Amino acid sequence: MLPQLLERSGTSVNGAITAFYTVLVDGDDLNEPITDAVRGILDGHFILDRSIANRGHYPAIDVLKSVSRLMNDITEKDHQQAAQTIRERMSAYRDTEDLISVGAYKKGHARSIDLAVELQPEIQRFLKQSTGEHVSLEQTRAWMNDIAIKE
């Protein structure tokens, strides 16, 4: 039944329908059966995270848990590469965040982690957006490239 419902949106001979489906997950369990099935059917998903919202970060999208299967079809190569570089840095930070917060990670052990820590504030500024803020696609891509090229 889920494929019939969810796949009604898309392109047909009569036009195209774009839809945003909302799935409320009990206890933030992204692997419960309905959520898992919906993620497998749709072309992408973005995960809203309460802990991100609790920090005053809006939109509260968990970039590392979100997926787009269409990005490579609708963006330029340099955009894809910048996005991937930023995701890699976010992932390096998240993987080491506990060690960093308790002071167990010492700068100089891994350049990728050092860079992730250094760029974390800028990445977070990039990901935040106020309600009335407008940033064009060109501005977004330029900002992404500025973050991604930093070594």
Side-chain angles (χ1 to χ4, degrees):
M1 195 165 146
L2 280 173
Q4 286 180 321
L5 174 68
L6 299 174
E7 291 176 356
R8 289 189 310 182
S9 61
T11 305
S12 73
V13 295
N14 297 322
I17 299 172
T18 300
F20 286 94
Y21 295 102
T22 304
V23 178
L24 181 60
V25 180
D26 187 33
D28 296 332
D29 179 9
L30 297 178
N31 294 319
E32 63 88 25
I34 293 176
T35 304
D36 198 42
V38 169
R39 284 187 307 166
I41 295 167
L42 299 176
D43 288 328
H45 55 271
F46 51 93
I47 305 298
L48 300 177
D49 188 309
R50 184 170 313 155
S51 68
I52 295 172
N54 289 342
R55 292 192 303 264
H57 180 126
Y58 298 100
I61 298 171
D62 187 327
V63 173
L64 295 177
K65 291 181 182 175
S66 301
V67 173
S68 171
R69 291 184 187 93
L70 299 176
M71 184 172 178
N72 291 340
D73 297 334
I74 60 175
T75 59
E76 302 292 328
K77 272 283 190 231
D78 65 324
H79 187 157
Q80 295 163 27
Q81 290 170 341
Q84 182 58 36
T85 298
I86 292 169
R87 287 175 70 90
E88 288 169 3
R89 291 182 178 150
M90 291 176 70
S91 181
Y93 184 85
R94 184 173 288 174
D95 290 347
T96 318
E97 191 169 16
D98 289 340
L99 293 174
I100 294 166
S101 68
V102 297
Y105 177 78
K106 301 297 179 209
K107 186 175 180 176
H109 282 60
R111 180 63 186 139
S112 62
I113 296 171
D114 293 345
L115 189 57
V117 170
E118 180 183 319
L119 291 174
Q120 187 63 16
E122 187 172 355
I123 291 170
Q124 291 307 308
R125 275 192 307 276
F126 170 73
L127 294 174
K128 284 184 178 182
Q129 186 172 10
S130 64
T131 307
E133 185 178 2
H134 173 77
V135 180
S136 71
L137 177 60
E138 292 78 22
Q139 291 169 311
T140 300
R141 289 180 60 185
W143 196 354
M144 289 175 69
N145 287 332
D146 286 346
I147 294 170
I149 63 169
K150 292 187 178 170
E151 294 295 326

